[in-house]
Amino acid sequence: MGAVVIVDALWGDSGKGKVCAHLAVRDKAPLAVRAGVGTNAGASVTLDDGTLVRARQLPTGWINPGTTVAVGSGVLVDPTVLAGEVARFDLDGRVLVDGRCALIEPGHVEAERADAHLAATVGSTCTGNGAARADFVLRRARQARDEPALAPYLTDVARHVNDVARDGLVLVEGSQGTLLSLAFSDEYPYTTSGNCTAAAAMDDVGLNWRLVQDVLMVVKALPTRVGEGPLPYELPEEEVLRRGIAEYGVVTGRPRRKAGRLDRELLGYAAMLNGPTQIALTFCDHVDPAMRGARDAGAITAPVRALIEQVEHDTGAPVVLLDTGPGLSDMIDLR
């Protein structure tokens, strides 16, 4: 079948984790693999029984019982965070970690928390990812294969990803967002410490480009941003609260700044960088509350239909998924 690369168009927090979980369940994917920088970004999914799942290290594909989850070699691993998620989600025997992943260690976290530039100017999560990546580039970081506690999980994830993708479906879950990319953002230093494009995600997990089936770009209907940096069409906090569309970061709990509309030029630029073949349009209920919890195409309202047309025009790709609420099943499949 091939691989589906899930990438965020803008500044992250778009619901990539929910999209990954939905596809894993719908398509019974045998493998989901995490791309991205590391544990500096989180994913949250509300299960149909109301359970809120929050993850920082592992992809959310494990929500399908038959899906193995993995961490690509380009992703930083925090052994404590990993162990916590394996235990919390009862994933013994279902987790793979590439032995070449660099480790985030306590000293990396301490260094970032003591760095006023990162904490105050950039608005970093200060979870040790930038410091660990710097050590990796300087070839002095420890790797996953150097940590005895990670031994049960170790394998060559790149080889496994390509082997599975030749005959089955692999979901590659990116993190953060295209416009936070270190080398592609015009907003430096208000970026993360790596790139967050589809090509970067493929590189993070060692995926052969010939095995890519689709690039699914996730577009948040009303974009958000955590930390510093510009946010076009940003709404006043009181307006966000009045409309009942406030959000908070998974990792830090900080309020997410929220825009009142998409920036069409930036969306087009993200499409140019990522080459999406499909679009997932998320948080549609924040555009029109009448969409909350809708699960059938017949429930799509006029404002959301207009937004779908606009996004398809600006990205050159069809909208195939609509996210309509917090629950895992609050999704309209248009494929």
Side-chain angles (χ1 to χ4, degrees):
M1 290 179 67
V4 175
V5 180
I6 303 167
V7 62
D8 186 300
L10 301 169
W11 296 278
D13 302 317
S14 63
K16 295 181 296 300
K18 179 179 176 179
V19 169
C20 181
H22 173 79
L23 296 181
V25 172
R26 186 192 73 182
D27 298 331
K28 298 179 173 55
L31 178 64
V33 59
R34 175 70 145 72
V37 172
T39 58
N40 54 342
S44 62
V45 181
T46 301
L47 305 182
D48 291 334
D49 64 3
T51 301
L52 177 62
V53 173
R54 295 176 181 268
R56 293 169 52 194
Q57 184 75 80
L58 295 172
T60 56
W62 63 264
I63 288 172
N64 177 58
T67 301
T68 296
V69 291
V71 181
S73 63
V75 181
L76 298 163
V77 169
D78 185 320
T80 301
V81 174
L82 177 73
E85 292 184 8
V86 171
R88 191 161 69 251
F89 307 140
D90 192 21
L91 295 180
D92 277 334
R94 295 178 57 192
V95 173
L96 302 174
V97 174
D98 198 294
R100 296 163 292 197
C101 292
L103 296 181
I104 300 170
E105 306 201 69
H108 295 130
V109 179
E110 293 167 8
E112 290 195 358
R113 289 178 178 172
D115 189 320
H117 172 70
L118 286 176
T121 303
V122 176
S124 168
T125 60
C126 294
T127 47
N129 286 258
R133 182 168 290 274
D135 272 356
F136 196 24
V137 170
L138 293 170
R139 277 85 78 197
R140 60 191 181 199
R142 293 173 68 235
Q143 292 179 289
R145 57 190 171 191
D146 300 321
E147 175 53 58
L150 297 179
Y153 312 116
L154 299 185
T155 193
D156 184 335
V157 168
R159 182 179 297 279
H160 190 62
V161 164
N162 287 284
D163 285 346
V164 175
R166 287 188 185 92
D167 300 308
L169 176 64
V170 174
L171 302 175
V172 180
E173 182 186 324
S175 71
Q176 298 175 287
T178 297
L179 298 185
L180 294 175
S181 292
L182 181 66
F184 293 116
S185 175
D186 288 330
E187 300 161 4
Y188 180 90
Y190 307 114
T191 68
T192 188
S193 54
N195 289 337
C196 307
T197 60
M202 293 163 54
D203 188 53
D204 287 337
V205 305
L207 176 66
N208 184 325
W209 67 270
R210 294 176 184 269
L211 295 173
V212 176
Q213 171 184 304
D214 282 297
V215 172
L216 177 58
M217 191 167 76
V218 184
V219 177
K220 193 171 191 176
L222 298 184
T224 55
R225 185 165 191 166
V226 175
E228 304 303 319
L231 177 63
Y233 310 109
E234 183 170 358
L235 293 171
E237 184 180 2
E238 56 270 23
E239 174 66 8
V240 173
L241 294 172
R242 185 190 69 78
R243 292 168 60 176
I245 55 175
E247 302 175 48
Y248 301 89
V250 174
V251 175
T252 64
R254 292 180 294 183
R256 293 173 180 163
R257 299 153 54 205
K258 199 164 186 77
R261 52 169 285 196
L262 285 164
D263 185 301
R264 299 184 68 176
E265 183 177 352
L266 289 177
L267 181 59
Y269 191 75
M272 179 197 73
L273 290 175
N274 290 298
T277 60
Q278 299 178 333
I279 302 293
L281 185 59
T282 57
F283 290 81
C284 292
D285 54 313
H286 286 193
V287 172
D288 186 351
M291 288 292 298
R292 175 62 67 97
R295 301 180 182 182
D296 183 87
I300 302 174
T301 62
V304 173
R305 286 195 181 279
L307 183 59
I308 291 171
E309 292 179 8
Q310 173 190 312
V311 169
E312 290 184 335
H313 177 271
D314 293 344
T315 63
V319 173
V320 298
L321 290 175
L322 292 180
D323 163 54
T324 63
L328 180 59
S329 296
D330 294 336
M331 190 81 77
I332 299 174
D333 199 322
L334 300 176
R335 69 169 187 168

PDB file of all heavy atoms in Angstrom, residues 34-54:
ATOM      1  N   ARG A  34       6.475   7.859  14.633  1.00  0.00           N
ATOM      2  CA  ARG A  34       6.571   9.274  15.013  1.00  0.00           C
ATOM      3  C   ARG A  34       7.759   9.924  14.341  1.00  0.00           C
ATOM      4  O   ARG A  34       8.885   9.414  14.380  1.00  0.00           O
ATOM      5  CB  ARG A  34       6.696   9.365  16.529  1.00  0.00           C
ATOM      6  CG  ARG A  34       6.922  10.752  17.103  1.00  0.00           C
ATOM      7  CD  ARG A  34       5.716  11.649  16.995  1.00  0.00           C
ATOM      8  NE  ARG A  34       5.607  12.546  18.136  1.00  0.00           N
ATOM      9  CZ  ARG A  34       6.393  13.591  18.365  1.00  0.00           C
ATOM     10  NH1 ARG A  34       7.372  13.873  17.548  1.00  0.00           N
ATOM     11  NH2 ARG A  34       6.195  14.342  19.439  1.00  0.00           N
ATOM     12  N   ALA A  35       7.482  11.065  13.684  1.00  0.00           N
ATOM     13  CA  ALA A  35       8.521  11.926  13.138  1.00  0.00           C
ATOM     14  C   ALA A  35       8.554  13.197  13.982  1.00  0.00           C
ATOM     15  O   ALA A  35       7.843  13.322  14.971  1.00  0.00           O
ATOM     16  CB  ALA A  35       8.224  12.234  11.673  1.00  0.00           C
ATOM     17  N   GLY A  36       9.403  14.166  13.599  1.00  0.00           N
ATOM     18  CA  GLY A  36       9.448  15.433  14.313  1.00  0.00           C
ATOM     19  C   GLY A  36      10.670  15.566  15.199  1.00  0.00           C
ATOM     20  O   GLY A  36      11.541  14.699  15.231  1.00  0.00           O
ATOM     21  N   VAL A  37      10.713  16.667  15.942  1.00  0.00           N
ATOM     22  CA  VAL A  37      11.889  16.979  16.755  1.00  0.00           C
ATOM     23  C   VAL A  37      12.022  16.023  17.932  1.00  0.00           C
ATOM     24  O   VAL A  37      13.063  15.406  18.136  1.00  0.00           O
ATOM     25  CB  VAL A  37      11.838  18.438  17.246  1.00  0.00           C
ATOM     26  CG1 VAL A  37      12.959  18.711  18.240  1.00  0.00           C
ATOM     27  CG2 VAL A  37      11.934  19.393  16.057  1.00  0.00           C
ATOM     28  N   GLY A  38      10.978  15.930  18.749  1.00  0.00           N
ATOM     29  CA  GLY A  38      11.062  15.094  19.951  1.00  0.00           C
ATOM     30  C   GLY A  38       9.847  15.277  20.834  1.00  0.00           C
ATOM     31  O   GLY A  38       8.714  15.233  20.350  1.00  0.00           O
ATOM     32  N   THR A  39      10.078  15.534  22.127  1.00  0.00           N
ATOM     33  CA  THR A  39       8.979  15.600  23.092  1.00  0.00           C
ATOM     34  C   THR A  39       8.537  17.030  23.387  1.00  0.00           C
ATOM     35  O   THR A  39       7.860  17.273  24.377  1.00  0.00           O
ATOM     36  CB  THR A  39       9.407  14.939  24.416  1.00  0.00           C
ATOM     37  OG1 THR A  39      10.583  15.617  24.911  1.00  0.00           O
ATOM     38  CG2 THR A  39       9.724  13.469  24.219  1.00  0.00           C
ATOM     39  N   ASN A  40       8.923  17.966  22.526  1.00  0.00           N
ATOM     40  CA  ASN A  40       8.552  19.365  22.764  1.00  0.00           C
ATOM     41  C   ASN A  40       7.183  19.721  22.229  1.00  0.00           C
ATOM     42  O   ASN A  40       6.758  20.873  22.306  1.00  0.00           O
ATOM     43  CB  ASN A  40       9.606  20.310  22.168  1.00  0.00           C
ATOM     44  CG  ASN A  40       9.855  20.037  20.698  1.00  0.00           C
ATOM     45  OD1 ASN A  40       9.521  18.983  20.181  1.00  0.00           O
ATOM     46  ND2 ASN A  40      10.465  20.989  20.022  1.00  0.00           N
ATOM     47  N   ALA A  41       6.479  18.751  21.668  1.00  0.00           N
ATOM     48  CA  ALA A  41       5.117  18.968  21.185  1.00  0.00           C
ATOM     49  C   ALA A  41       4.286  17.757  21.553  1.00  0.00           C
ATOM     50  O   ALA A  41       4.778  16.627  21.539  1.00  0.00           O
ATOM     51  CB  ALA A  41       5.106  19.177  19.672  1.00  0.00           C
ATOM     52  N   GLY A  42       3.029  17.998  21.877  1.00  0.00           N
ATOM     53  CA  GLY A  42       2.174  16.900  22.303  1.00  0.00           C
ATOM     54  C   GLY A  42       0.974  16.718  21.396  1.00  0.00           C
ATOM     55  O   GLY A  42       0.625  17.592  20.603  1.00  0.00           O
ATOM     56  N   ALA A  43       0.362  15.560  21.523  1.00  0.00           N
ATOM     57  CA  ALA A  43      -0.879  15.261  20.818  1.00  0.00           C
ATOM     58  C   ALA A  43      -1.926  14.861  21.847  1.00  0.00           C
ATOM     59  O   ALA A  43      -1.599  14.238  22.858  1.00  0.00           O
ATOM     60  CB  ALA A  43      -0.674  14.120  19.817  1.00  0.00           C
ATOM     61  N   SER A  44      -3.159  15.248  21.593  1.00  0.00           N
ATOM     62  CA  SER A  44      -4.236  14.855  22.496  1.00  0.00           C
ATOM     63  C   SER A  44      -5.406  14.314  21.690  1.00  0.00           C
ATOM     64  O   SER A  44      -5.725  14.824  20.610  1.00  0.00           O
ATOM     65  CB  SER A  44      -4.685  16.031  23.366  1.00  0.00           C
ATOM     66  OG  SER A  44      -5.189  17.081  22.577  1.00  0.00           O
ATOM     67  N   VAL A  45      -6.023  13.272  22.221  1.00  0.00           N
ATOM     68  CA  VAL A  45      -7.180  12.649  21.588  1.00  0.00           C
ATOM     69  C   VAL A  45      -8.191  12.325  22.682  1.00  0.00           C
ATOM     70  O   VAL A  45      -7.820  11.740  23.710  1.00  0.00           O
ATOM     71  CB  VAL A  45      -6.797  11.350  20.843  1.00  0.00           C
ATOM     72  CG1 VAL A  45      -8.020  10.740  20.183  1.00  0.00           C
ATOM     73  CG2 VAL A  45      -5.713  11.605  19.810  1.00  0.00           C
ATOM     74  N   THR A  46      -9.437  12.700  22.471  1.00  0.00           N
ATOM     75  CA  THR A  46     -10.498  12.329  23.404  1.00  0.00           C
ATOM     76  C   THR A  46     -11.212  11.099  22.858  1.00  0.00           C
ATOM     77  O   THR A  46     -11.828  11.149  21.785  1.00  0.00           O
ATOM     78  CB  THR A  46     -11.503  13.477  23.598  1.00  0.00           C
ATOM     79  OG1 THR A  46     -10.811  14.625  24.099  1.00  0.00           O
ATOM     80  CG2 THR A  46     -12.592  13.086  24.588  1.00  0.00           C
ATOM     81  N   LEU A  47     -11.096   9.984  23.572  1.00  0.00           N
ATOM     82  CA  LEU A  47     -11.736   8.748  23.136  1.00  0.00           C
ATOM     83  C   LEU A  47     -13.246   8.860  23.299  1.00  0.00           C
ATOM     84  O   LEU A  47     -13.764   9.746  23.986  1.00  0.00           O
ATOM     85  CB  LEU A  47     -11.189   7.566  23.933  1.00  0.00           C
ATOM     86  CG  LEU A  47      -9.663   7.386  23.901  1.00  0.00           C
ATOM     87  CD1 LEU A  47      -9.262   6.143  24.681  1.00  0.00           C
ATOM     88  CD2 LEU A  47      -9.153   7.310  22.469  1.00  0.00           C
ATOM     89  N   ASP A  48     -13.962   7.936  22.672  1.00  0.00           N
ATOM     90  CA  ASP A  48     -15.415   8.019  22.685  1.00  0.00           C
ATOM     91  C   ASP A  48     -16.013   7.819  24.064  1.00  0.00           C
ATOM     92  O   ASP A  48     -17.164   8.207  24.312  1.00  0.00           O
ATOM     93  CB  ASP A  48     -16.010   7.008  21.699  1.00  0.00           C
ATOM     94  CG  ASP A  48     -15.706   7.388  20.245  1.00  0.00           C
ATOM     95  OD1 ASP A  48     -15.508   8.599  19.986  1.00  0.00           O
ATOM     96  OD2 ASP A  48     -15.652   6.493  19.390  1.00  0.00           O
ATOM     97  N   ASP A  49     -15.241   7.232  24.991  1.00  0.00           N
ATOM     98  CA  ASP A  49     -15.747   7.080  26.356  1.00  0.00           C
ATOM     99  C   ASP A  49     -15.417   8.293  27.220  1.00  0.00           C
ATOM    100  O   ASP A  49     -15.668   8.295  28.431  1.00  0.00           O
ATOM    101  CB  ASP A  49     -15.195   5.804  27.003  1.00  0.00           C
ATOM    102  CG  ASP A  49     -13.672   5.832  27.181  1.00  0.00           C
ATOM    103  OD1 ASP A  49     -13.044   6.868  26.850  1.00  0.00           O
ATOM    104  OD2 ASP A  49     -13.114   4.824  27.646  1.00  0.00           O
ATOM    105  N   GLY A  50     -14.844   9.334  26.599  1.00  0.00           N
ATOM    106  CA  GLY A  50     -14.519  10.557  27.321  1.00  0.00           C
ATOM    107  C   GLY A  50     -13.098  10.625  27.856  1.00  0.00           C
ATOM    108  O   GLY A  50     -12.680  11.665  28.365  1.00  0.00           O
ATOM    109  N   THR A  51     -12.338   9.530  27.737  1.00  0.00           N
ATOM    110  CA  THR A  51     -10.957   9.518  28.211  1.00  0.00           C
ATOM    111  C   THR A  51     -10.094  10.435  27.355  1.00  0.00           C
ATOM    112  O   THR A  51     -10.099  10.341  26.125  1.00  0.00           O
ATOM    113  CB  THR A  51     -10.374   8.090  28.156  1.00  0.00           C
ATOM    114  OG1 THR A  51     -11.165   7.226  28.952  1.00  0.00           O
ATOM    115  CG2 THR A  51      -8.933   8.072  28.655  1.00  0.00           C
ATOM    116  N   LEU A  52      -9.355  11.337  28.001  1.00  0.00           N
ATOM    117  CA  LEU A  52      -8.449  12.234  27.292  1.00  0.00           C
ATOM    118  C   LEU A  52      -7.052  11.635  27.280  1.00  0.00           C
ATOM    119  O   LEU A  52      -6.456  11.393  28.333  1.00  0.00           O
ATOM    120  CB  LEU A  52      -8.423  13.612  27.957  1.00  0.00           C
ATOM    121  CG  LEU A  52      -7.447  14.631  27.349  1.00  0.00           C
ATOM    122  CD1 LEU A  52      -7.801  14.922  25.901  1.00  0.00           C
ATOM    123  CD2 LEU A  52      -7.432  15.912  28.173  1.00  0.00           C
ATOM    124  N   VAL A  53      -6.526  11.383  26.105  1.00  0.00           N
ATOM    125  CA  VAL A  53      -5.195  10.819  25.922  1.00  0.00           C
ATOM    126  C   VAL A  53      -4.239  11.940  25.529  1.00  0.00           C
ATOM    127  O   VAL A  53      -4.502  12.684  24.576  1.00  0.00           O
ATOM    128  CB  VAL A  53      -5.212   9.735  24.825  1.00  0.00           C
ATOM    129  CG1 VAL A  53      -3.797   9.277  24.506  1.00  0.00           C
ATOM    130  CG2 VAL A  53      -6.082   8.569  25.234  1.00  0.00           C
ATOM    131  N   ARG A  54      -3.141  12.078  26.256  1.00  0.00           N
ATOM    132  CA  ARG A  54      -2.115  13.064  25.933  1.00  0.00           C
ATOM    133  C   ARG A  54      -0.784  12.350  25.757  1.00  0.00           C
ATOM    134  O   ARG A  54      -0.394  11.558  26.609  1.00  0.00           O
ATOM    135  CB  ARG A  54      -1.987  14.104  27.042  1.00  0.00           C
ATOM    136  CG  ARG A  54      -3.224  14.986  27.235  1.00  0.00           C
ATOM    137  CD  ARG A  54      -3.031  15.913  28.421  1.00  0.00           C
ATOM    138  NE  ARG A  54      -4.173  16.760  28.680  1.00  0.00           N
ATOM    139  CZ  ARG A  54      -4.342  17.976  28.182  1.00  0.00           C
ATOM    140  NH1 ARG A  54      -3.407  18.477  27.393  1.00  0.00           N
ATOM    141  NH2 ARG A  54      -5.407  18.686  28.469  1.00  0.00           N
TER     142      ARG A  54
END
